[in-house]
């Protein structure tokens, strides 16, 4: 294998400097063009020239009050004791707000401040006035808002709705704006398939990176141009890049950017132009490339979706805004405490995705999946914590600065659940956001014990748990008394649910019960330590006097019922212990073992909050219960029932 | 005049409650509809149903490292001292990153961690391994990112580019989103003209409100439907509203909302449905109406553009987002000190528009024009200070909370100039933003004396001035020594410029000089006290021994050269004292009187800042000088020359 084209690996800052230098040295040239478009259609476009007012607004002197137009000099002698009498048409005219000030008049007296000489109709021939007025009184002068030749918008201004108003008011109906930069998006890899393909073979993957970046390019003010997929052929890629140069302003190549045998993006770039850098010490995002081909910037973005987006945010957005000549948006940040210890590699700067929520007044940052391939971690993320290179990571409740992905979220409206996984948590989350769009519910599946520990650590508003205690035969209470001794909390039943063995459709290996775990032809898929299901398994094994050493696959651990079902569905294992609804989701067979209690444990101080009360109102609705019942294997008769309310000691 | 339909006048909060009640009482009904659209086109749309994963991502177990696929059980005895030998095809297969894990294998060993049994080619028949591996090592399992049946997006979620990625990864190619609410925009008033009309008669106004609100509706996620202009006929308006009900989700009527004789919006609403409120104690925005016609909300927005937008932000945006079921964006705020005393009416809550800038580390808020008709004040504004009802206003440097219109601006990059007006300031502003898109320049025209006072008060980074001192015959220096005694500052010449009498084209009244101000057939337009031009006039009058009492129009004051020229151009006055370039901008005649020096005064502590250095670099460029020269009447030979550098005492 040709492994000689290694990554150069420079820091993110150095990489940005390389691009900056290429711009200053005119290796990269932005061929800016502008176009004249109607102002009505100019929203969000960037001015390429200054716009100066063509006419004043108001363009005529206007009456500002209902009343009479007068000549101010005629009023100079008027006083309370010796009013001046004015005659209609000759000395005054009746006027309404918005009327042009009649020729020869220079002020307006409010109708309330004049008195008719005689009783009578609405419009009198003669009126008395009691004080002198100055020229311009109650008159809106020409240019009150905008005056001819005044600068309305500078160059490099992003046009907003009120700008459109001011431009039109100033008689400007067309405006010169920058053409949207064309951004070529070239996906590479013979494994890529269009998202609309129904069936995917192993090894094929959906090309959703092209769609994500297209939508970002639009949001950022550019025009995306998606090219056909280039298969893993260096010549084909070179040809495509060369054909894009001249037509497009920025070229993006997706994937093929690392140093494997099929990763030829760097080679193609080197041979058709110049590589500015190949590889950055960030994670995710390491195999990013930048180059120049005939003065056109080319960015090679890694194929893993999180690496892809981080590289796009760090390199494509700045390049595009540079092209448009508008400043980068400010980096919105928040300070938070990290919810758990994170060990990080010293050689890289890590972009750790986090969810944010307030525990009482303290903002906490909850680390999400760190995999470069886990796009769902970005869907879930509120922000990014940058762990610098040469740091070994973060310690529990260390203060961190979070770069916010969206600064329009009220983190005080987020409920954090940590604990045991169940499919009903997704239903609950959706129902909450349906009823209360401003509330958010986030669930971390660390297992039941993890949930109780999270309450103790003060990092969760609630914990879900189904811990079976062998000695007492009780669920949860003994564990709560042990771990949360002295806490003022509530235990609320969510459901009773069916636990059992999840086996392949039709049960081809004829599995009958726990005893079959000893069979040599069977592979088990386990749950992680501390999960209620693992506690249950180990209890069942003790009861059946089965030594875990003799169970094939006992070491394979997954973190949710769905992952266990998925492992069985994909023939990674023949069986796993889990809940009925997970088997049902994957259309698998199920051998019932036990009906267990699944509770929510909520500290009193969170229980009374408005958001928690709204959440608990949801679980009592018929709509919620119906949906959970449909998942299968649930008994909802006690759903919402308070089992403990008060101090646990 | 029928003045009986008076405004009811309730507070903004009460007005919002009225709408809230109408929704709760089901007077207002949101007829939400949804539609199925391709995920690729779903950016910024709102989910109307939850989206659950149709397939897992990854959907196959994938190799995560280049190496060999093995069965973990075959490796259980391998150690450093007694390696296990594996045979190609039988015990292992060569695999690359991204390959599907071959059937029957459950782990991958990195290529770097195996050793060939013999020297030789790339792919050996037999390999040695030195340690045992566990199942799943270097394998990306099915569902690593997304697992079948998992909730991807809840209802009421605004779709972002990464959501599109996750949806496509989860096999979801179409999604149910809320239809965009249709918002009818009905402009009223026979004086309205289309913005494209070249010539406007007095009394006609451009309908730009429709265009502003259309663009906001789009930004907010609705679909604007602009109706033809309804003239001032009550029946026509009623008919239009009735025809819109059923077709549109929200109806907006522009103007005709106050209580004048032609303001029939309230009457039309009352007769076709119900008025919820008419008039709010806010300024601008007082004559806002809300009503319901056949369960459809109708908002009557005032016609003055600032009133119009404030009412739209306060009522239309919340209604639209309520319809879409997404929360209002968070109100972004900043604390600042107000730059001058503001007297406010006690009966209203005032929405004071302000510009923001940092003076050293302190954020200052600069009040802009308070007129309800001044749309340019919103173009210029960074935020709104809400002065509550029952407050008499704000005192100089009082701390205020500013609601930000845009939270992406670095106020530390703004330069505030206060002082004398000149047309070159617009050129300077545009040149600065052209060269440095991240910098902003804002100029307040209070006159030269106002500029020096602003420096003394610490509310300006620079002041422009052309104050003539009679005794010394010098410009600016004597005033600076008097007002800014002991200040460490620089005086930098901008230009020398021609001052003179601005008179009508062709000089029809045959004006020859200052002496003509005494003529009875001539009206003068003056500048405000404290402006350099007023100082110059008063000096000239003393020299000519002219008593100001004998000058017609001496009381009429304007705040800029352009406003003076505009007054002459519009025959409000026959002449005014001003600069040549202002006369030129209005194609007026000009009688030169004096060539004066126009300087910038900059305190040393701002002079050295990066932003100020960039500004001063601009005025030395040929491009700047050429553009100023084109305005006419300027001598730029000393432009940028430092006249004083150091302490003034």
């Amino acid at each position: 294998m040709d492994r000689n084209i290694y990554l150069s690996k420079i820091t993110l800052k150095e990489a940005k400097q390389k691009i900056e230098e290429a711009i200053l040295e005119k290796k990269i040239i932005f061929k800016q063009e502008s176009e004249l478009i109607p102002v009505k259609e100019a929203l969000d476009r960037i001015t390429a020239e200054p716009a100066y007012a063509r006419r004043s607004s108001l363009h005529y002197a206007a009456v500002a009050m209902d009343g009479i137009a007068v000549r101010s000099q005629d009023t100079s002698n008027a006083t309370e004791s010796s009013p001046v009498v004015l005659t209609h048409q000759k000395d005054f005219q009746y006027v309404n707000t918005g009327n042009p000030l009649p020729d020869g008049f220079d002020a307006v007296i409010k109708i309330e401040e004049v008195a008719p000489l005689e009783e009578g109709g609405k419009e009198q021939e003669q009126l008395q006035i009691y004080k002198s007025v100055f020229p311009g009184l109650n008159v809106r002068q020409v240019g009150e808002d905008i005056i001819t030749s005044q600068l309305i918008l500078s160059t490099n201004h992003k046009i907003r709705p009120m700008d459109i108003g001011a431009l039109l008011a100033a008689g400007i109906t067309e405006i010169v704006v920058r053409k949207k930069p064309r951004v070529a998006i070239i996906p590479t890899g013979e494994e890529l398939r269009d998202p609309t393909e129904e069936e995917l073979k192993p090894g094929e993957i959906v090309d959703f990176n092209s769609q994500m970046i297209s939508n970002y390019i639009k949001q950022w003010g550019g025009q995306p141009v998606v090219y056909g997929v280039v298969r893993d052929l260096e010549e084909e890629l070179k040809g495509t890049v060369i054909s894009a140069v001249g037509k497009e302003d920025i070229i993006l190549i997706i994937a093929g950017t690392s140093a494997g045998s099929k990763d030829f993006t760097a080679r193609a770039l080197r041979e058709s132009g110049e590589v500015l850098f190949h590889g950055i010490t960030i994670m995710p995002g390491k195999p990013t490339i930048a180059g120049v081909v005939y003065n056109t910037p080319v960015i090679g973005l890694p194929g893993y979706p999180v690496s892809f987006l981080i590289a796009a945010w760090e390199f494509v957005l700045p390049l595009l805004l540079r092209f448009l000549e508008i400043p980068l948006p400010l980096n919105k940040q928040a300070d938070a405490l990290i919810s758990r210890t994170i060990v990080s590699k010293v050689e890289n700067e890590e972009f750790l995705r986090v969810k944010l929520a307030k525990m009482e007044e303290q903002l906490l940052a909850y680390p999400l999946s760190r995999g470069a391939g886990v796009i769902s971690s970005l869907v879930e993320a509120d922000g990014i914590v940058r762990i610098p290179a040469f740091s070994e990571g973060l310690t529990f409740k260390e203060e961190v600065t979070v770069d916010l992905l969206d600064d329009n979220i009220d983190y005080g409206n987020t409920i954090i659940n940590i604990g045991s996984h169940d499919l009903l948590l997704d239903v609950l989350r959706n129902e909450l956001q349906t009823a209360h769009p401003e509330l958010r519910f986030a669930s971390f599946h660390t297992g039941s014990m993890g949930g109780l520990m999270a309450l103790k650590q003060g990092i969760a508003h609630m914990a879900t748990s189904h811990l079976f205690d062998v000695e007492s035969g009780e669920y949860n209470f003994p564990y709560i008394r042990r771990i949360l001794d002295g806490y003022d909390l509530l235990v609320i039943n969510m459901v009773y649910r069916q636990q059992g063995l999840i086996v392949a459709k039709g049960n081809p290996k004829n599995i009958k019960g726990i005893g079959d775990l000893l069979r040599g032809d069977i592979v088990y898929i386990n749950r992680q330590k501390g999960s209620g299901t693992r506690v249950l398994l180990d209890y069942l094994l003790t009861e059946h006097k089965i030594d875990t050493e003799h169970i094939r696959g006992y070491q394979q651990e997954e973190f949710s019922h769905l992952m266990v079902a998925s492992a069985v569905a994909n023939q990674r294992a023949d069986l796993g212990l889990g809940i009925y609804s997970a088997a049902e989701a994957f259309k698998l067979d199920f051998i019932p073992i036990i009906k267990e209690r699944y509770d929510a444990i909520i500290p009193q101080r969170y229980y009374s909050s408005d958001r928690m009360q709204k959440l608990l109102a949801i679980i009592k609705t018929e709509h919620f219960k119906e949906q959970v019942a449909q998942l299968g294997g649930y008994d909802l008769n006690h759903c919402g029932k308070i089992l403990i309310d008060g101090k646990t000691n």
Side-chain angles (χ1 to χ4, degrees), chain A residues 341-359:
Chain A
T341 295
I342 290 287
V343 177
S344 186
K345 289 187 184 166
V346 287
E347 67 266 34
N348 292 321
E349 179 183 6
E350 181 173 353
F351 286 64
L352 181 73
R353 288 138 271 169
V354 295
K355 184 101 199 164
L356 293 171
K358 271 194 182 165
M359 298 298 301

Side-chain angles (χ1 to χ4, degrees), chain A residues 34 51 85 171 184 192 197 205 233 254 257 267 303 336 362 374 399 409 414 444 540 575:
Chain A
S34 56
V85 176
L192 292 186
E197 282 195 25
I205 56 175
L233 297 168
I254 310 180
T257 56
R267 258 193 328 260
Q362 177 60 55
V374 184
E399 183 162 300
I409 292 167
T414 303
F444 293 90
L540 293 171
L575 85 165

